[in-house]
């Protein structure tokens, strides 16, 4: 997991290894991650809330019934905020509670309320670690995709020697950073609802040439389109991704076609659209392109202080696909800074779409270039809000809604 800009929720339970957690927070922060901390009652006996607040830069959550905390980031919001939930140290007691789904404190409640992958760094006396009950609980957690980090062996605080030491903070951070998490979440949680369907997705920006060495483009990172392609593949679809220039890894098992301009994107989409069941237009296509692209690099000229360029409209890829004789089921996106729903509904009708997902890009926390987003999904019959979440999780939620609408549409 790339930790830069990711939201790490650190759950600290009450073992002596909790004294290492301020360093663990610092090591996570050094990767560029945002860190929030939740502690059990007994953890507060081993390490101070104040220290963790200082190193994380965020208020530390501790009890369920804290009015102040709930007025700030409430527990459900915190569960949604997390991209990964790391429980370190994870005591035998907390491991048992996680295995059986108890929710009698804030830490274990968050573990049930989050969709984020969970990692645990066990820490306990070697005999407690070797106890059949603990080992069974670990097996239960692992069967649900929980990622186990350690424990290591060595001398323990109680004087015993054996397995049960929490790994060092740097080892925990490296273990999380080297793990690809989304797949475990899918394997455990999601049915292949798109199995047998062909899905085409456009993603990223387009690049419109100004001359052989220059171009105009926009801030689209392609993250939402790539998250949708990854999710659609894992939900069983056969996926074609038509992508503008982005800095993202090609999703595994997805037929990815790289393009530069809007015209290239349209050409590829039209050449591959036959047989597609669903078309998702997530790309931020440039609205205009230069009318005549000079064959040679444009030069500065003596005595000329400005440059005037003439643009013409680019083709609307989504509208073109939605207007085909036998169009696939279409989902468009609307990125707006004001009157988000009004403009989205207008686009749904004007472009003859089946669904549109509207995101508000006026907040820098969400949308363009961010790993997180929030969407209002509008069909001709209803409007559904998907709360702020990682683009990976939102992609799954959006595809579940899409699948329901697609089946209704086919009836
Ligand atoms: O009209 P607007 O650009 O706001 O519409 C956004 C939606 O239309 C997005 O789904 C986008 O991918 C798609 N679009 C397109 N071709 C264009 C412009 C937008 O496919 N030229």
């Amino acid at each position: 997991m790339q930790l830069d800009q990711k939201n790490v929720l650190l759950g600290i339970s009450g073992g002596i290894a909790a004294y290492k957690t301020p360093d663990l927070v610092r090591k996570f922060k050094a990767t560029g991650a945002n860190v929030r901390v939740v502690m059990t009652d007994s953890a507060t006996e081993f390490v101070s809330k104040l220290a963790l607040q200082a190193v994380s830069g965020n208020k530390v959550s501790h009890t369920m019934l804290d009015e102040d905390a709930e007025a700030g980031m409430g527990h459900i919001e915190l569960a949604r905020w997390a991209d990964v939930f790391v429980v370190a140290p994870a005591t035998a007691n907390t491991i048992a509670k996680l295995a059986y789904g108890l929710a009698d404190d804030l830490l274990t409640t968050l573990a049930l309320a989050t969709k984020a992958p969970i990692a645990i760094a066990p820490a306990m006396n070697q005999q407690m670690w070797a106890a059949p009950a603990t080992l069974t609980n670990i097996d239960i957690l692992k069967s649900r995709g929980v990622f186990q980090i350690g424990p290591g062996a060595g001398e323990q605080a109680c004087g015993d020697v054996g397995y049960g030491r929490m790994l060092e903070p740097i080892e925990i951070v490296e273990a999380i950073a080297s793990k690809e998490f989304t797949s475990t979440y899918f394997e455990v949680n999601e049915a292949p609802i798109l199995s047998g369907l062909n899905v085409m997705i456009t993603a990223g920006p387009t690049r419109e040439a100004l001359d052989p060495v220059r171009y105009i483009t926009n801030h689209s990172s392609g993250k939402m389109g790539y998250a949708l392609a990854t999710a659609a593949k894992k939900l069983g679809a056969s996926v074609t991704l038509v992508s503008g220039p982005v800095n993202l890894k090609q999703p595994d098992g997805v037929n990815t076609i790289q393009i530069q301009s809007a015209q290239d994107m349209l050409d590829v989409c039209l050449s591959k659209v036959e047989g597609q069941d669903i078309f998702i237009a997530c790309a931020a296509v440039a609205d205009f392109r230069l009318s005549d692209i000079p064959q040679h690099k444009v030069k500065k000229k003596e005595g000329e202080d400005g440059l005037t360029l003439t643009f013409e409209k680019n083709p609307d890829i989504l509208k073109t696909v939605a207007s085909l004789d036998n169009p696939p089921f279409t989902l468009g996106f609307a990125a707006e800074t004001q009157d988000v729903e009004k403009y989205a509904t207008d686009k749904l009708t004007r472009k003859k779409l089946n669904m549109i997902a509207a995101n508000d890009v006026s907040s820098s926390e969400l949308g363009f270039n961010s790993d997180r987003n929030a969407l209002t999904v509008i069909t001709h019959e209803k409007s559904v809000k998907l709360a702020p979440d990682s683009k990976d999780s939102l992609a799954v939620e959006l595809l579940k809604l899409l699948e329901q609408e697609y089946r209704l549409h086919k009836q």
Side-chain angles (χ1 to χ4, degrees):
M1 174 182 244
Q2 246 280 343
L3 283 168
D4 187 30
Q5 304 290 316
K6 286 281 180 343
N7 295 338
V8 175
L9 180 60
L10 175 64
I12 307 177
S13 57
I16 178 64
Y19 83 90
K20 295 181 179 176
T21 53
D23 187 33
L24 180 57
V25 172
R26 294 189 57 188
K27 295 272 182 330
F28 272 124
K29 299 240 349 164
T31 65
N34 309 306
V35 183
R36 286 181 183 268
V37 174
V38 53
M39 306 172 78
T40 62
D41 264 348
S42 46
T44 61
E45 303 285 335
F46 290 98
V47 58
S48 100
K49 261 169 100 168
L50 208 56
L52 290 158
Q53 187 164 309
V55 285
S56 68
N58 284 311
K59 199 166 183 302
V60 170
S61 308
H62 168 213
T63 72
M64 282 288 291
L65 308 169
D66 179 342
E67 272 181 39
D68 272 0
E70 288 295 306
M73 187 180 273
H75 68 282
I76 296 297
E77 228 178 321
L78 194 54
R80 285 208 188 106
W81 173 87
D83 291 312
V84 59
F85 186 17
V86 182
V87 184
T91 59
N93 182 48
T94 292
I95 288 171
K97 290 203 272 183
L98 294 176
Y100 286 91
L102 298 189
D104 62 352
D105 58 20
L106 184 57
L107 189 155
T108 47
T109 302
L110 288 170
L112 288 184
T114 192
K115 268 189 305 185
I118 299 177
I120 53 167
M124 67 198 73
N125 163 270
Q126 53 86 24
Q127 198 58 56
M128 292 172 78
W129 174 250
T134 303
L135 296 178
T136 303
N137 291 336
I138 290 283
D139 283 346
I140 292 174
L141 290 177
K142 287 208 300 203
S143 74
R144 288 190 206 129
V146 170
F147 178 39
Q148 179 196 333
I149 306 167
E155 192 172 338
Q156 302 200 303
C158 54
D160 279 8
V161 176
Y163 278 93
R165 282 172 60 94
M166 186 175 87
L167 292 189
E168 292 304 320
I170 190 66
E171 295 175 294
I172 296 174
V173 173
E174 281 171 0
I176 303 277
S178 66
K179 170 91 178 159
E180 195 53 72
F181 274 111
T182 38
S183 55
T184 351
Y185 174 76
F186 268 98
E187 276 154 28
V188 177
N189 293 286
E190 302 297 349
I193 52 172
L194 298 180
S195 168
L197 296 179
N198 293 320
V199 178
M200 182 184 270
I201 300 172
T202 68
T206 62
R207 228 177 230 187
E208 308 298 329
L210 297 180
D211 68 16
V213 293
R214 303 184 179 97
Y215 56 81
I216 51 167
T217 187
N218 58 60
H219 288 297
S220 168
S221 63
K223 285 176 184 167
M224 192 68 219
Y226 275 57
L228 281 163
T230 306
K233 168 74 193 149
K234 290 187 170 152
L235 292 171
S238 185
V239 184
T240 304
L241 175 64
V242 187
S243 170
V246 295
N247 283 319
L248 299 171
K249 189 175 158 283
Q250 287 198 7
D252 285 343
V254 166
N255 176 20
T256 307
I257 303 165
Q258 308 283 355
I259 55 84
Q260 298 275 326
S261 68
Q263 186 62 49
D264 296 345
M265 187 175 264
L266 177 68
D267 293 345
V268 170
C269 288
L270 289 181
S271 72
K272 308 264 175 202
V273 74
E274 209 180 312
Q276 297 294 336
D277 301 292
I278 292 164
F279 181 77
I280 304 177
C282 202
V285 183
D287 288 331
F288 294 96
R289 65 181 170 209
L290 205 60
S291 302
D292 283 308
I293 303 167
Q295 279 198 333
H296 299 287
K297 185 180 167 191
V298 174
K299 296 285 203 190
K300 282 176 285 192
K301 287 192 191 123
E302 260 325 298
E304 272 185 16
D305 289 339
L307 174 70
T308 306
L309 299 172
T310 306
F311 288 88
E312 64 187 23
K313 240 183 170 172
N314 256 328
D316 190 315
I317 300 159
L318 175 57
K319 197 171 166 187
T320 310
V321 169
S323 307
L324 291 170
D325 282 347
N326 187 14
F329 184 89
T330 48
L331 165 66
F333 275 78
E336 305 289 351
T337 52
Q338 56 177 348
D339 286 338
V340 177
E341 288 188 43
K342 180 174 157 286
Y343 285 121
T345 311
D346 173 56
K347 233 166 261 180
L348 179 78
T349 329
R350 198 163 33 83
K351 299 197 187 196
K352 299 197 192 118
L353 310 180
N354 298 103
M355 280 174 94
I356 192 153
N359 48 5
D360 182 347
V361 289
S362 58
S363 147
S364 61
E365 290 268 295
L366 299 170
F368 270 170
N369 250 320
S370 156
D371 283 335
R372 296 171 65 71
N373 205 356
L375 294 171
T376 306
V377 187
I378 302 163
T379 69
H380 293 279
E381 284 80 36
K382 64 180 182 201
S383 163
V384 179
K385 280 200 187 308
L386 298 179
D389 211 330
S390 71
K391 287 184 175 171
D392 291 343
S393 298
L394 263 186
V396 179
E397 295 311 316
L398 180 56
L399 289 175
K400 284 185 190 166
L401 271 177
L402 180 142
E403 189 261 346
Q404 286 170 9
E405 291 299 318
Y406 171 78
R407 306 273 174 216
L408 283 175
H409 171 80
K410 282 276 142 192
Q411 273 173 13

